[in-house]
Amino acid sequence: METKIYVAGGWFSPAQMEAIQQVEHLAAMHGDAFMPRLHNLGEEGCNWEKVFEVNIDKLNDCDIVIASTVDKDMGTIFECGYAYSRGKQILYYSPGIAKPNLMLGMSGLIFNDITKLELYLQTGKYENIAKDYE
């Protein structure tokens, strides 16, 4: 059975868009990926209550959440907190950071380079970044 992956992250700035596209690409290569950016975009005037319900259902059903933390998107913060409360594995993609956030570091694995995240998805090998939290 394929791993079910929920991709969390904003796409509201150029930096966010670049990061979420990288994460979406990896997720699609390594499992059955639900990508809110792509799967929730519908016609204008979409039903936001339905979007919320679908996202919660997909979070409940997933095995792993891969989250881009670029620019600290509020929806992503909610999704990761919810996923943690449900016992889901969380992989944070935080490009370029050297000093991780305590709450992220204690709730999941943090990757500061997309190639390290890809290596983990392929092999399960994790190269921990510094545990000197901010």
Side-chain angles (χ1 to χ4, degrees):
M1 180 147 92
E2 230 180 345
T3 301
K4 293 180 182 177
I5 302 172
Y6 184 100
V7 176
W11 58 86
F12 309 107
S13 72
Q16 285 181 330
M17 182 61 84
E18 180 181 347
I20 198 71
Q21 287 175 331
Q22 290 175 322
V23 170
E24 288 168 344
H25 177 74
L26 285 182
M29 288 176 36
H30 294 282
D32 175 14
F34 177 76
M35 305 170 207
R37 180 180 78 88
L38 301 175
H39 294 119
N40 285 337
L41 293 179
E43 302 154 19
E44 274 194 51
C46 70
N47 181 331
W48 293 116
E49 185 175 316
K50 180 70 175 165
V51 168
F52 180 81
E53 290 172 7
V54 167
N55 288 359
I56 293 297
D57 287 345
K58 294 296 184 177
L59 282 164
N60 286 331
D61 193 42
C62 76
D63 302 304
I64 297 172
V65 172
I66 303 177
S68 167
T69 65
V70 172
D71 295 339
K72 300 175 180 121
D73 174 69
M74 296 301 285
T76 304
I77 292 167
F78 171 84
E79 290 163 325
C80 291
Y82 182 83
Y84 179 79
S85 76
R86 305 292 295 172
K88 306 299 180 174
Q89 180 182 26
I90 306 171
L91 309 178
Y92 296 103
Y93 175 50
S94 302
I97 68 157
K99 193 172 186 177
N101 174 275
L102 171 66
M103 299 306 279
L104 272 58
M106 297 306 245
S107 64
L109 303 177
I110 301 174
F111 300 86
N112 61 1
D113 183 285
I114 199 70
T115 58
K116 292 177 183 178
L117 176 55
E118 183 172 24
L119 179 66
Y120 179 80
L121 291 170
Q122 290 172 346
T123 68
K125 180 180 176 192
Y126 177 62
E127 294 180 25
N128 194 8
I129 60 177
K131 289 232 180 200
D132 182 21
Y133 296 113
E134 58 177 43

